[in-house]
Amino acid sequence: MPTVKSLNQAMTYIKNVINTSLRTEVLDAVRKEEAKQVQSVVYDSYQPTVYERRYDMGNDANIVGMVNGTVLQVENITPPNSEGNPPPTTDKDLAKVVETGVGYDYFSPGARPFTQATMDALSASGAHVQALKNGLVKAGIQVK
């Protein structure tokens, strides 16, 4: 941890460390939990008959985060599956379609709210809080 000469320097340093931890450790914890919830809430709930699943919704590359201020915003940007006859969800927000069950071009399996399940699981486990603490410690900040 660097030596700081003012409260403003200390606050700037702490905010930067928090943001770095949010972009790395906390986002990783959220990704891991969301992948679990996608498997449980989305994939395990039914078997599609119109298309083959790609199992992309739980991929790290499709779960992105952006830090605004000291807030981590996470979004699942999995693109629609263009396979099938007709293509099932082209030109749609796949995560929104899955979450709400509205927007399918064929039989809807209903809402599968994996985002709420992710938030509930994180709230129960505190994995995101522990990840933030780990990031702070890694940067040399003592956390109690």
Side-chain angles (χ1 to χ4, degrees), residues 92-111:
K92 295 182 182 176
D93 180 340
L94 181 60
K96 184 176 179 181
V97 170
V98 171
E99 285 276 340
T100 64
V102 176
Y104 285 95
D105 294 330
Y106 55 93
F107 168 77
S108 172

Side-chain angles (χ1 to χ4, degrees), residues 32-33 35 40 44 53 72 80 85 92 100 102 116 120 129:
K32 285 178 183 172
E33 187 58 49
S40 174
D44 292 348
R53 286 193 171 135
L72 174 64
N85 188 16
K92 295 182 182 176
T100 64
V102 176
Q116 186 63 52
D120 292 346
V129 175

Side-chain angles (χ1 to χ4, degrees), residues 48-105:
T49 57
V50 177
Y51 65 95
E52 275 188 50
R53 286 193 171 135
R54 301 164 294 160
Y55 294 94
D56 284 353
M57 287 195 81
N59 290 353
D60 284 357
N62 291 329
I63 303 169
V64 298
M66 181 177 73
V67 176
N68 187 4
T70 52
V71 175
L72 174 64
Q73 297 172 316
V74 179
E75 182 179 8
N76 192 309
I77 60 164
T78 305
N81 188 350
S82 61
E83 300 298 316
N85 188 16
T89 55
T90 56
D91 299 327
K92 295 182 182 176
D93 180 340
L94 181 60
K96 184 176 179 181
V97 170
V98 171
E99 285 276 340
T100 64
V102 176
Y104 285 95
D105 294 330

Side-chain angles (χ1 to χ4, degrees), residues 19-38:
N19 287 345
T20 298
S21 183
L22 289 171
R23 280 191 297 274
T24 55
E25 288 86 4
V26 177
L27 179 57
D28 187 50
V30 173
R31 281 179 172 147
K32 285 178 183 172
E33 187 58 49
E34 184 164 307
K36 287 181 198 174
Q37 296 306 320
V38 164

Side-chain angles (χ1 to χ4, degrees), residues 114-131:
F114 64 91
T115 301
Q116 186 63 52
T118 301
M119 291 187 298
D120 292 346
L122 287 169
S123 181
S125 73
H128 61 305
V129 175
Q130 187 59 50

